[in-house]
Amino acid sequence: IKEISMIVILIASSLLLSCSTGEVEKENHTHALVFDPSTSGTFYVGTHYYLEKHATDSIERVGPYGEDYMGLVISQDGTFYSSGHSPTIPNVGIRKSTDKGKTWQILAYEGLDFHDLAVSYADPNLIYAWGTPPEERLVISRDAGRTWSEVSTSFPTVLYSLAADHQQSSRLYAGSLTGLLISDDFGRTWNENNILANTTVLAIADDPAREGKMYLSTYQRGILVTEDDGKTWQEKNTGLDFSQEPLLMLAIDPGTGELYGVTRHNSIDKYKGASWIRV
């Protein structure tokens, strides 16, 4: 019970569940790191105050200052989706950008807060969003955000992350306080990976090139990888002090296959060769 309480406190503070535009904060913080599959070698960092573009030899701020980007994802065709806050709208619901984050259009659920989104690479029209308590809900769009519906489902525990499988359009993953949850019917029903029972899953990165390969960031065991669809798992922690700085976000460069992570203190690490390095 003591360990579970510590985990809840850590994640609640690190995932910034209390973000709001009414707060005055001394430091910015990171909400997402995501690669643009339509532009090789480019990733974006969504923060509490702005969107940042990282290219091969440059870093630039995108869009207006003061925008918050929760659950930022980029589809296979380069469309951006996110939730978050803005200076004029406390909770923007779900929005999209077709010009690489420069301007945004609200699609649905204005007034609600969604902390995690997932887009299917097998079907870029398929988008999921997970709403935080007290409006806890899973919603889905099958037409690239034009229409949405609520998925009738329930989860046995607290969720921390959401990810769509790259090769199977009907498969969705959820990281939770007590393990990895898997749905093969678009989020309606869920099964738990028994090997990871009682392992807190903070972040999920499904491999864009190889079916059955996935990385997890966990509280108890650091970074885990499976190459056989979750039957076996290996630790990948060389160079990473996950007990002090757990990775709260994971992302895979679709061009190189390299794994990136963001620590609870907003640093970016990369798994290069056989070890983690600070980038």
Side-chain angles (χ1 to χ4, degrees), residues 38-168:
S38 68
T39 307
S40 178
T42 300
F43 68 85
Y44 290 79
V45 176
T47 80
H48 189 67
Y49 293 119
Y50 53 83
L51 184 63
E52 195 172 71
K53 176 184 177 182
H54 291 243
T56 303
D57 55 359
S58 66
I59 300 175
E60 64 177 293
R61 187 177 297 170
V62 179
Y65 184 86
E67 296 281 335
D68 169 273
Y69 297 92
M70 296 295 300
L72 176 70
V73 293
I74 305 176
S75 72
Q76 192 73 16
D77 64 4
T79 303
F80 290 29
Y81 298 92
S82 88
S83 186
H85 321 292
S86 79
T88 57
I89 305 174
N91 293 309
V92 301
I94 301 171
R95 57 186 171 177
K96 79 171 183 178
S97 171
T98 57
D99 57 6
K100 307 295 184 181
K102 296 181 179 65
T103 61
W104 292 83
Q105 169 196 358
I106 294 179
L107 298 175
Y109 300 107
E110 182 176 338
L112 298 184
D113 192 16
F114 294 88
H115 272 213
D116 228 333
L117 276 72
V119 59
S120 170
Y121 292 89
D123 180 1
N125 291 314
L126 192 59
I127 310 160
Y128 302 90
W130 172 246
T132 58
E135 299 290 344
E136 194 172 30
R137 67 181 70 191
L138 177 66
V139 299
I140 183 174
S141 173
R142 299 175 183 269
D143 54 12
R146 288 186 290 273
T147 61
W148 294 82
S149 60
E150 188 167 343
V151 180
S152 179
T153 189
S154 61
F155 296 97
T157 183
V158 179
L159 294 192
Y160 295 134
S161 55
L162 198 67
D165 190 271
H166 278 71
Q167 291 80 28
Q168 302 180 60

Side-chain angles (χ1 to χ4, degrees), residues 4-16 202 219 242-244 246 248 264:
I4 292 176
S5 298
M6 291 176 64
I7 294 173
V8 171
I9 292 171
L10 167 68
I11 307 306
S13 60
S14 299
L15 293 184
L16 310 163
L202 308 175
Y219 181 82
F242 68 87
S243 64
Q244 297 298 316
L248 299 183
R264 62 180 299 203

